[in-house]
Amino acid sequence: LVICSFDVWLAIFDVANNGDIISLEIDNASQFFNMPSVILSKIESAKIDVKKDRDMILLGFSVRLSEKEYNFSYIVPRDKIILTN
C-alpha cells in the first residue's frame, strides 16, 4: 500500500503506511549519480538511507558494483519536496 509519493529533483520515492520506502525511480540516473549508464547497469546491490530533520531530508545512497562501493549524499530542503497521494 502506497500512502504517498514524493518527488525530489529527479527521484520519486513511494512510501508505505509504515514509513518504509517501497520503490524508487530515478530519472536520468547517470546524471543523478554522475556515472555513465554503462557502469550503472552493472549495479549488484544498493542501499538507501533517509533521515528527516526539521527543515530538510538527508538522502544517502550506497551502490555496489563488482568489488567497489560508491556512496552519495544529498541534502534536500523541504521546500524542494513535492508530496502526492
Side-chain angles (χ1 to χ4, degrees), residues 60-73:
F61 295 93
S62 178
V63 177
R64 187 158 205 42
L65 303 164
S66 298
E67 298 178 8
K68 188 161 183 173
E69 187 170 303
Y70 298 88
N71 295 297
F72 306 91
S73 298

Side-chain angles (χ1 to χ4, degrees), residues 5-28:
S5 294
F6 62 96
D7 187 351
V8 180
W9 294 320
L10 302 173
I12 300 171
F13 295 82
D14 290 327
V15 182
N17 59 358
N18 66 358
D20 289 346
I21 295 173
I22 56 175
S23 71
L24 168 64
E25 178 184 337
I26 299 175
D27 291 334
N28 200 357

Side-chain angles (χ1 to χ4, degrees), residues 8-9 31-34 57-61 72-76:
V8 180
W9 294 320
Q31 180 182 354
F32 191 81
F33 291 117
N34 196 25
I57 291 181
L58 309 167
L59 300 174
F61 295 93
F72 306 91
S73 298
Y74 299 96
I75 297 173
V76 184

Side-chain angles (χ1 to χ4, degrees), residues 29-31 33-42 65:
S30 59
Q31 180 182 354
F33 291 117
N34 196 25
M35 300 176 85
S37 57
V38 171
I39 292 174
L40 289 175
S41 68
K42 298 178 182 182
L65 303 164

